[in-house]
Amino acid sequence: MIFVVSILLLILYAFKIKDWKKNDHRLNPELSIYLKYLHYFTITITIVLLILELQIRGIWTGRIVTFIVLLSGIFYNLFAQKSVLNKLEKTYFSFLSILPLIFPLLLLIPFLGVVIVFSIIGRTISPFEKICYEDKNLRIQTSFVGVMAPPKILVYKKGLFFEKEVEDLYFPEEIDSLKVDYKKDSIYIHYWETNYDNQVVKSEIKIPQ
C-alpha cells in the first residue's frame, strides 16, 4: 500500500511541478527579488547559527526561520518571476523545488522509509514535546528524536538574542520532577526519574555560569 501511495505521490508532484510554468498569478519582479533575498538572508542566518551551535532565542523562532527557508525555496518557482534569476539561481531554485520528491522515494524503502520520513517531519514541525522547566536563564525540555526513539532531554542556556544547547541526555527515562539551583559559578539541575525497574533515581547536571 505504501509503495502504491509513494508512486502516486511521485507522479502527482512531478506533474504539478510541470504545471507551475502555467501559473499566471505570480509576484511582480520587485516582490520576486524581495522573496529571493529573504530566502538568502534566512538560509544564511540558519547556516551561521548551525556553525556557531546557536539558535535564535525562543522556542518557535528558529522553526519560523526554517519554514521561511523551506517555503521560499521550494515554492519560489511557483509564485515568483524566474526572469529575476541568473542561470545559477535558476538551477538552485529548481533543485529546491524537487526536494519534496525525496519523501515519496524514501517511502519506497520498506519500514525504514516510513520511520525516516515521519522522524524528519516530526523534528521539523515540533521544536519540543514538553517544557520541564523554564526561567529567564534556562529552558529544559524534552524533544522529539524519532519515531523509534524516546524523547531527548535538552537544556538551553539563554542569552539576550540567542540561546545555546548546553546539555542533552540521550535515551532518558521519564522525568518525574526537577529542581534548579543557582550557585556562584555553576547551575545545578537535580532531576528525579523512574527507571525501567520502576525505581526513582536522582541525577544531577552541572552547567557553568
Side-chain angles (χ1 to χ4, degrees), residues 50-67:
L50 283 173
I51 293 172
L52 297 176
E53 297 182 339
L54 295 172
Q55 67 179 41
I56 302 173
R57 181 165 176 165
I59 297 175
W60 287 100
T61 314
R63 285 298 187 277
I64 292 172
V65 173
T66 300
F67 291 146

Side-chain angles (χ1 to χ4, degrees), residues 126-145:
S126 177
F128 71 97
E129 284 200 349
K130 177 184 176 183
I131 303 297
C132 303
Y133 176 87
E134 185 170 20
D135 60 24
K136 64 179 182 179
N137 300 310
L138 285 180
R139 183 174 71 253
I140 304 171
Q141 66 183 55
T142 58
S143 294
F144 178 80
V145 176

Side-chain angles (χ1 to χ4, degrees), residues 10 16-17 32 57 66 84 110 115 120 151 157 164-165 177:
L10 281 169
K16 285 297 181 182
I17 290 179
S32 297
R57 181 165 176 165
T66 300
V84 302
V115 173
I120 292 174
K157 192 173 182 180
K164 183 178 180 65
E165 180 186 315
S177 61

Side-chain angles (χ1 to χ4, degrees), residues 123-191:
R123 294 191 66 173
T124 302
I125 294 176
S126 177
F128 71 97
E129 284 200 349
K130 177 184 176 183
I131 303 297
C132 303
Y133 176 87
E134 185 170 20
D135 60 24
K136 64 179 182 179
N137 300 310
L138 285 180
R139 183 174 71 253
I140 304 171
Q141 66 183 55
T142 58
S143 294
F144 178 80
V145 176
V147 174
M148 303 297 292
K152 181 171 65 172
I153 300 174
L154 302 176
V155 181
Y156 289 95
K157 192 173 182 180
K158 300 178 182 179
L160 183 60
F161 299 110
F162 303 101
E163 54 191 33
K164 183 178 180 65
E165 180 186 315
V166 293
E167 188 72 41
D168 61 58
L169 300 176
Y170 290 92
F171 307 109
E173 311 288 352
E174 181 70 22
I175 288 183
D176 297 315
S177 61
L178 60 83
K179 178 183 177 183
V180 177
D181 286 332
Y182 286 91
K183 302 297 183 181
K184 185 176 180 180
D185 58 348
S186 300
I187 303 171
Y188 292 88
I189 302 172
H190 311 279
Y191 63 95

